[in-house]
Amino acid sequence: MNVVIGIDIGGTKTKIGLVDEKGKCHIKTFFRTREFPDLDDYLDKIKSVSDELVENLDKKVTILGCGIGAPNASSKKGTIENASNLVWKGSVPILEKLKERMNIPMRIMNDASAAALGEMLFGGGKKMTDFIVITLGTGFGAGIVANGQLIDGYDGFAGELGHVDMTIGDGRLTGLGVRGGLEAYVSATGLKRTIMYMLSKYLVVSKFRGISYNDLHGEDITKAAEEGDIIAQRAFDYTAKMMAQALANFTAFTQPEAFILMGGLTNSGKWIMEPLESYFNEYLLEVYKGKVKLLESSMDGKTAAICGAAALIWENEKS
Amino acid sequence: MNVVIGIDIGGTKTKIGLVDEKGKCHIKTFFRTREFPDLDDYLDKIKSVSDELVENLDKKVTILGCGIGAPNASSKKGTIENASNLVWKGSVPILEKLKERMNIPMRIMNDASAAALGEMLFGGGKKMTDFIVITLGTGFGAGIVANGQLIDGYDGFAGELGHVDMTIGDGRLTGLGVRGGLEAYVSATGLKRTIMYMLSKYLVVSKFRGISYNDLHGEDITKAAEEGDIIAQRAFDYTAKMMAQALANFTAFTQPEAFILMGGLTNSGKWIMEPLESYFNEYLLEVYKGKVKLLESSMDGKTAAICGAAALIWENEKS
């Protein structure tokens, strides 16, 4: 069986798996990224974990290549550039250094772009030529497919939509110091910040008056909304409204047939999706109304990032 | 000599010319669009004017096809849809009806997208795979080239960036009723509106206190700025700031190598370009700084739209 090594580099975990041409992940594992502050140690670890996966799989496999998804990755340069939630600073020549250890075809890409490629090859984007994948995790990421191709940008940094200014001069700062940046509102962190904002704005009773910012978790907010907590419900409504505004604006750019949403925030289900759908259709320009779908990713959340990374290699094998 | 008929349909004028493969317009003419409120009369006029151009040219030519740029045109459907500044309402099947009169290869496209194709084939975009053309006329248009291809969108309406909301809930209405829409600020009309706003905000002496909105023209504003009129200068600064904010946001989408600017507002030269450059570099996300050029179109303003329309056919001939 032919497989591709898919690697998802995140600030917390590095996930590695072996993915076949249908996008099935046959075996996977992870380790904690921060335990390897030295880049060489980190890459040695990737090499050894990959070898273990191949050994542990009960079938004989041929490795066709290795695809990597990572924050702030430049597909054209093969580097990770100043990623705010990774320990290695500056421009990290990760592809070059990993090639010294594994002599196979290799590609790296921004994690959200890799997710879009995964949807294109294996998921809901299979039959679409124009769609945008939105990853809603700690931050806000976007991978854009137009004319049936992933949009890279001049040197590989297209789709940094989490830093689009939503407010002109008077908004929250993102982790990158962008005032009013979208991801300061629409992300797991954004939702937490909005809980704080709602506690400042209203005096209604809420369970969140007894929970500190640091102790706040996304799933608690969903649970509170279910239980009728007004602050939680208003926070979701506010988040959905901001997101709808952003997606309506993005539509005017490449006119996607659909937005495919994935990541933590989508687990809040109807609390985010229902108001999102309603505001989105309200904000959409007349010429686009009724033509743009909001879909939740159909890919398995536990392996979607690994399969997206593997898609970088499968894309070339298939074409 | 082989030529293509290039047609630029505007609210005021319809311009027609014959364009060779190098993008040279050998002969051109225009007529007033509004004099033909009946679509059949209008298309008969296009046919007769095209025939006249061929007769009047001193060389023998072969017509390879006809390319059309028009507001709100859908390239995929061959229609013009609800264009606010054209007399024909609803969905106008212009390509189908024109084919009944001229049996040659024919394509239609949004005027700003046609301009982008013109820059790609004949202008400053020749060596670039990722750029965005911004047309600054009565309105604000955009044509997006990424991965070396024009981005069409799901059914041909990509690049409607004049209607991106810049203000979240508290802005000017565009002609399409979009509150806070970019073109309500950044366009010839937007600049006039900003003069009114500056007259409301400040009490300084200005020649514009004696001129009505209807009597106000772009070139007068440039002239006044030259003469030291504070209201004119502040209006340019405000316009440039809004535009810089928008272009910085757009950069995060497809990461273009350059924005190529064309149309009336660029004639205001340094009054718009200098503050634009300065604000743009201030607003740009760190990862893009120093990598995105702001260029003025090098194409002849009088024929750029005709050549852009002709590029729709030349693109296929050349590939």
Side-chain angles (χ1 to χ4, degrees):
Chain A
M1 180 176 59
N2 292 334
V3 293
V4 164
I5 304 170
I7 306 178
D8 175 55
I9 302 180
T12 311
K13 291 180 186 176
T14 296
K15 299 176 190 167
I16 307 190
L18 301 182
V19 180
D20 72 16
E21 68 175 327
K22 296 223 161 114
K24 190 182 167 194
C25 181
H26 288 266
I27 186 168
K28 67 181 198 306
T29 186
F30 75 92
F31 60 90
R32 300 206 172 270
T33 310
R34 289 210 175 81
E35 288 178 9
F36 300 87
D38 181 85
L39 185 66
D40 282 303
D41 293 347
Y42 178 76
L43 297 173
D44 288 342
K45 177 74 179 173
I46 283 189
K47 165 71 175 147
S48 66
V49 166
S50 302
D51 288 346
E52 278 166 37
L53 286 181
V54 173
E55 279 165 35
N56 292 342
L57 195 65
D58 50 2
K59 293 175 200 161
K60 235 183 132 58
V61 294
T62 307
I63 306 287
L64 296 182
C66 171
I68 305 170
N72 287 48
S74 167
S75 55
K76 298 204 172 158
K77 293 200 273 176
T79 55
I80 296 177
E81 307 267 323
N82 306 302
S84 59
N85 55 353
L86 293 180
V87 283
W88 321 295
K89 294 306 159 201
S91 177
V92 182
I94 190 155
L95 221 56
E96 186 191 317
K97 289 189 145 249
L98 194 57
K99 271 186 179 159
E100 293 167 6
R101 291 162 174 85
M102 298 157 78
N103 189 21
I104 50 176
M106 219 170 261
R107 280 177 84 195
I108 190 168
M109 198 173 268
N110 176 290
D111 42 8
S113 293
L117 217 48
E119 290 289 340
M120 190 161 94
L121 262 65
F122 309 130
K126 251 190 259 186
K127 288 178 181 155
M128 290 192 258
T129 56
D130 300 85
F131 65 93
I132 298 177
V133 167
I134 303 284
T135 61
L136 297 158
T138 315
F140 181 109
I144 304 160
V145 172
N147 291 359
Q149 292 184 354
L150 191 80
I151 303 299
D152 286 325
Y154 171 50
D155 70 346
F157 286 106
E160 288 288 341
L161 300 183
H163 304 286
V164 162
D165 186 341
M166 296 297 292
T167 59
I168 308 297
D170 179 36
R172 298 177 190 169
L173 285 173
T174 69
L176 286 184
V178 177
R179 187 166 301 282
L182 178 58
E183 98 176 359
Y185 300 86
V186 182
S187 64
T189 320
L191 180 62
K192 282 173 63 176
R193 294 168 82 169
T194 297
I195 289 286
M196 298 295 121
Y197 173 67
M198 291 298 162
L199 289 174
S200 80
K201 192 164 177 195
Y202 301 106
L203 275 172
V204 291
V205 174
S206 165
K207 68 182 287 187
F208 296 112
R209 298 212 185 270
I211 301 174
S212 75
Y213 180 87
N214 282 341
D215 289 336
L216 203 55
H217 297 289
E219 44 285 30
D220 301 335
I221 304 174
T222 310
K223 194 154 164 279
E226 294 285 352
E227 292 163 1
D229 191 292
I230 304 277
I231 292 294
Q233 291 174 358
R234 287 185 184 160
F236 276 121
D237 189 80
Y238 183 90
T239 306
K241 194 170 181 175
M242 272 302 211
M243 183 162 171
Q245 182 71 67
L247 299 190
N249 277 347
F250 297 167
T251 299
F253 220 93
T254 52
Q255 200 203 4
E257 181 180 351
F259 288 94
I260 301 178
L261 313 179
M262 54 168 70
L265 211 52
T266 59
N267 297 336
S268 302
K270 70 167 184 179
W271 295 102
I272 194 83
M273 294 305 288
E274 282 178 13
L276 177 66
E277 189 90 37
S278 150
Y279 286 124
F280 180 65
N281 286 310
E282 178 187 336
Y283 293 147
L284 215 49
L285 204 59
E286 205 54 42
V287 70
Y288 303 130
K289 272 198 209 298
K291 293 186 199 164
V292 191
K293 296 188 264 284
L294 298 179
L295 307 174
E296 289 180 67
S297 171
S298 61
M299 290 177 75
D300 178 356
K302 292 197 188 96
T303 57
I306 292 173
C307 293
L312 295 179
I313 300 297
W314 279 120
E315 185 197 22
N316 292 341
E317 288 291 326
K318 288 184 168 184
S319 66
Chain B
M1 180 176 57
N2 293 334
V3 293
V4 163
I5 304 171
I7 305 178
D8 174 56
I9 302 181
T12 312
K13 291 179 186 178
T14 296
K15 300 176 190 169
I16 307 190
L18 301 180
V19 179
D20 73 16
E21 66 175 328
K22 297 224 162 112
K24 190 182 167 195
C25 182
H26 288 266
I27 186 168
K28 68 181 197 307
T29 186
F30 75 92
F31 61 89
R32 298 204 174 272
T33 311
R34 290 209 176 79
E35 287 177 10
F36 299 88
D38 181 86
L39 185 66
D40 283 303
D41 293 347
Y42 177 76
L43 297 173
D44 288 342
K45 177 74 179 173
I46 283 188
K47 164 72 174 147
S48 66
V49 165
S50 302
D51 288 347
E52 278 166 36
L53 285 180
V54 173
E55 278 165 33
N56 292 343
L57 195 65
D58 50 4
K59 293 174 198 160
K60 234 184 135 56
V61 294
T62 307
I63 306 287
L64 296 183
C66 171
I68 305 170
N72 286 48
S74 167
S75 55
K76 298 204 173 161
K77 293 200 273 175
T79 56
I80 297 177
E81 307 266 325
N82 307 301
S84 59
N85 55 354
L86 293 179
V87 283
W88 320 295
K89 294 305 160 202
S91 178
V92 183
I94 191 156
L95 221 55
E96 184 191 318
K97 288 189 145 252
L98 194 56
K99 271 186 179 159
E100 293 166 6
R101 290 161 174 87
M102 299 158 78
N103 189 20
I104 51 177
M106 218 169 262
R107 279 177 83 195
I108 190 169
M109 199 173 268
N110 176 290
D111 43 6
S113 293
L117 217 48
E119 290 289 340
M120 189 161 94
L121 262 65
F122 309 130
K126 250 190 263 187
K127 288 178 183 156
M128 289 191 259
T129 55
D130 299 85
F131 64 93
I132 297 177
V133 167
I134 303 285
T135 61
L136 296 159
T138 315
F140 181 108
I144 304 160
V145 173
N147 291 1
Q149 292 186 352
L150 191 79
I151 301 299
D152 286 324
Y154 171 48
D155 71 345
F157 286 105
E160 287 288 340
L161 300 184
H163 303 287
V164 162
D165 186 341
M166 296 296 291
T167 58
I168 308 296
D170 179 36
R172 298 177 190 169
L173 285 173
T174 68
L176 286 184
V178 177
R179 187 165 301 281
L182 179 58
E183 96 174 2
Y185 299 86
V186 183
S187 64
T189 320
L191 181 63
K192 282 173 63 177
R193 294 169 82 169
T194 297
I195 288 286
M196 297 296 120
Y197 173 67
M198 291 297 164
L199 289 173
S200 80
K201 191 162 178 194
Y202 301 106
L203 275 172
V204 291
V205 173
S206 164
K207 70 184 286 189
F208 296 113
R209 299 212 183 271
I211 301 175
S212 75
Y213 179 87
N214 282 341
D215 289 337
L216 203 55
H217 298 288
E219 43 288 26
D220 300 335
I221 304 174
T222 311
K223 194 154 164 277
E226 294 285 353
E227 291 163 3
D229 191 292
I230 305 276
I231 292 293
Q233 291 175 356
R234 287 186 183 160
F236 276 120
D237 188 81
Y238 182 91
T239 306
K241 193 170 182 175
M242 271 303 211
M243 184 163 169
Q245 182 72 66
L247 299 191
N249 276 347
F250 297 167
T251 299
F253 219 93
T254 53
Q255 199 203 6
E257 181 180 351
F259 288 94
I260 302 179
L261 313 178
M262 54 169 68
L265 211 52
T266 60
N267 297 335
S268 302
K270 70 167 182 178
W271 295 102
I272 194 84
M273 294 306 289
E274 282 177 14
L276 177 65
E277 190 89 39
S278 150
Y279 286 123
F280 180 66
N281 286 309
E282 179 186 336
Y283 293 147
L284 217 47
L285 203 60
E286 204 55 42
V287 69
Y288 303 130
K289 272 200 208 298
K291 294 185 198 166
V292 191
K293 297 188 263 287
L294 298 179
L295 307 174
E296 288 180 67
S297 171
S298 60
M299 290 178 75
D300 178 356
K302 291 196 188 97
T303 56
I306 292 173
C307 293
L312 295 180
I313 301 295
W314 277 120
E315 184 198 23
N316 292 341
E317 289 291 328
K318 287 184 168 185
S319 65

